[in-house]
Amino acid sequence: MLLEQYRKKAQLYRTNVILTPLGDDFRYDHTSEWDAQYNNYQKIFDYWNSKPNLYVEVSHCFVIVARYIVMLSVMLLAWHFC
């Protein structure tokens, strides 16, 4: 179900990079919260990547929004000039 939600979300983007906000203003003030979230997502992504029949290849990068915008800008500029 989560994979299908990501697939639907990906259809709204021009690039193969999507933004998936996690948490809220009062999350991740303890290292254990961040570690748990990261480890859980890593397990999910590893599982998806291990199943060729799902037709998905996930590589991920946990970043702050400002970094995501820079990454997206670079990709869109490259796409625009190709």
Side-chain angles (χ1 to χ4, degrees):
M1 182 182 289
L2 182 60
L3 178 56
E4 291 307 314
Q5 292 301 311
Y6 280 138
R7 284 188 168 138
K8 289 177 183 177
K9 187 172 188 170
Q11 292 175 352
L12 303 173
Y13 288 73
R14 287 185 162 181
T15 68
N16 62 350
V17 177
I18 64 171
L19 174 66
T20 305
L22 301 174
D24 56 41
D25 292 343
F26 303 104
R27 290 279 181 239
Y28 311 119
D29 55 347
H30 301 297
T31 306
S32 60
E33 290 178 310
W34 168 251
D35 289 341
Q37 190 76 274
Y38 179 87
N39 291 331
N40 287 335
Y41 265 90
Q42 185 63 54
K43 289 174 187 175
I44 292 168
F45 295 155
D46 288 345
Y47 175 80
W48 289 345
N49 285 334
S50 73
K51 303 291 181 186
N53 61 316
L54 294 177
Y55 302 103
V56 65
E57 182 181 334
V58 178
S59 62
H60 64 281
C61 182
F62 290 92
V63 298
I64 61 173
V65 175
R67 177 73 176 130
Y68 169 77
I69 292 170
V70 169
M71 291 168 54
L72 188 59
S73 298
V74 168
M75 292 184 77
L76 287 174
L77 282 172
W79 177 74
H80 180 68
F81 290 107
C82 288

